[in-house]
Amino acid sequence: MSDLSNASVSKQRVQGSPLEDSSFDSADFVHSDSASTSPEIIDEEEFHPNPVAVEDDNEGYEMREISGSSKKGYYGLDGSDSDSDDEDETDEHEPIKRRRTGSSAQSFELYTPDEERAVVRKFDTRLVLFMAFLYMLSFLDRSNIGNARLAGLQNDLQMTTSQFEWILSAFYITYVIFEWMTLLYSLVPPHIYISICVLSWGLIASLQAVATSFGPIVFLRALLGISEAAFGPGVPFYLSFFFRRDELALRTGLFISAAPLASSFAGVLAWVITKLSFQGPIAPWRVLFLVEGFPSVLVAVWAWKILPDRPEKAKYLTSRESRVARLRLRRENGERKDIRARRESSWREIKKTLLDPKCYFTAMMFFCSNVAFSSMPVFLPTIISEMGYSRLLAQLLSAPPYLFSFIAVITTSYLSDRYKSRTPYVVFHALVSSVAYTFLALGHTLSIPPTARYILLYPAAAGFFCAVTIIITWTDNVDR
């Protein structure tokens, strides 16, 4: 290690490099040996073909000697040997770990924690909230069928109860069949793919307003299931392009929390529309479909312009922030591969997934939870109405349980990421919601008063909204 003891320290700033924003108090990348007296500044992506950042306790990066290299004295970001032929020489070239401290003269960061927080904050405010807004629109268009029923849909189209149930089922049949379209997130540029999804469900939801019989509306509901299946299930996967695995639960919770928020908004909006258009020339349920469906058509244009395909392509990031956005996910994404290798890897992963029993277990968990998650917004106005409340009041009373669910989802997601745990939250919320559903089902048998049954709606709704949020995150982060 004599070369290390003779290494000189350069305190000059690297001008014109991607690392120009970082201040070098010491320990720049230098090389010095007995044959040269002037240090040579090395860029971190030039001195080693596959640099790998080594993360320290403070979310920065530490430097290690590239052991086994013929260029002794180089410092890089890889703690492993750069030449596999020299593995037996580890005793002679033992990797030296440079720990970063507040005043260390041998530390260097690819980016600072403040820079990383700034990037994450921008993605949270510009990307996550917008995706939550899109999911709110989609959930609004799928779940307003229950409010439309109380607004006169079933009576005006002279449908039986069985026919109305087929309208509900048509959506979920196609939703399940076409959920494979989530794979298109990795094949089609996301800003194009998501915009097409938003445009399609906005048009289909709006066209429900002109339905005149059972046939057309059941067909439109089936098409709506296809368009929303292509969007919603793939959003956590899309967010994984921009966030680390231990950051995903909160972001997934933020976008899924748009579902109860949309349901609460739908309840209030249905109450307003029904009250104002009761004596109008257009049936209230037709106005409801138009008002809640057509805005998605306009938002689709907005989505095309602002959604990034990759972190470094976000228009609202500076050049430095784009670099930080890419570097912070280096460990998550691994080294880049050519397109052919990635496709071959994808098929191998699909085969591996089909043979993994854990995938079927999580799928069953999601299926069971999603039954309650999806049916509650559709039937809640009717459930409240059968408790003895008027139809108009039932529209309004359906909003508070969803507002409570919104807060519960955000809180649960934060705690899940904070303590890096998934299982306890899924178990707790699923049990609480199951107990609440049981008492709701036995309400008449046990003579539970209407007020108490209405209060039971709060844990029933919040429990499965929270459970579904964590299960979705779990599928992207199975080791938590």
Side-chain angles (χ1 to χ4, degrees), residues 147-148 150-151 267-268 270-271 274 381 390-399:
N147 299 108
L150 289 186
V268 176
W271 177 78
T274 303
S390 67
R391 290 194 171 190
L392 187 61
L393 184 58
Q395 302 273 28
L396 187 61
L397 290 177
S398 64

Side-chain angles (χ1 to χ4, degrees), residues 168-218:
L168 302 180
S169 300
F171 174 89
Y172 292 105
I173 290 174
T174 55
Y175 192 96
V176 171
I177 293 175
F178 287 90
E179 202 166 356
W180 62 267
M181 295 177 68
T182 297
L183 296 173
L184 296 178
Y185 271 93
S186 59
L187 301 177
V188 181
H191 81 279
I192 297 176
Y193 179 72
I194 293 174
S195 300
I196 293 174
C197 293
V198 177
L199 177 64
S200 61
W201 85 57
L203 288 173
I204 295 168
S206 301
L207 288 174
Q208 292 178 114
V210 299
T212 56
S213 62
F214 167 73
I217 196 167
V218 74

Side-chain angles (χ1 to χ4, degrees), residues 245 356 358-359 362 422 473-480:
R245 290 165 58 177
D356 189 349
K358 293 192 298 294
C359 297
T362 54
R422 309 290 186 231
T473 306
W474 210 354
T475 60
D476 285 332
N477 192 0
V478 293
D479 64 339
R480 292 295 178 190

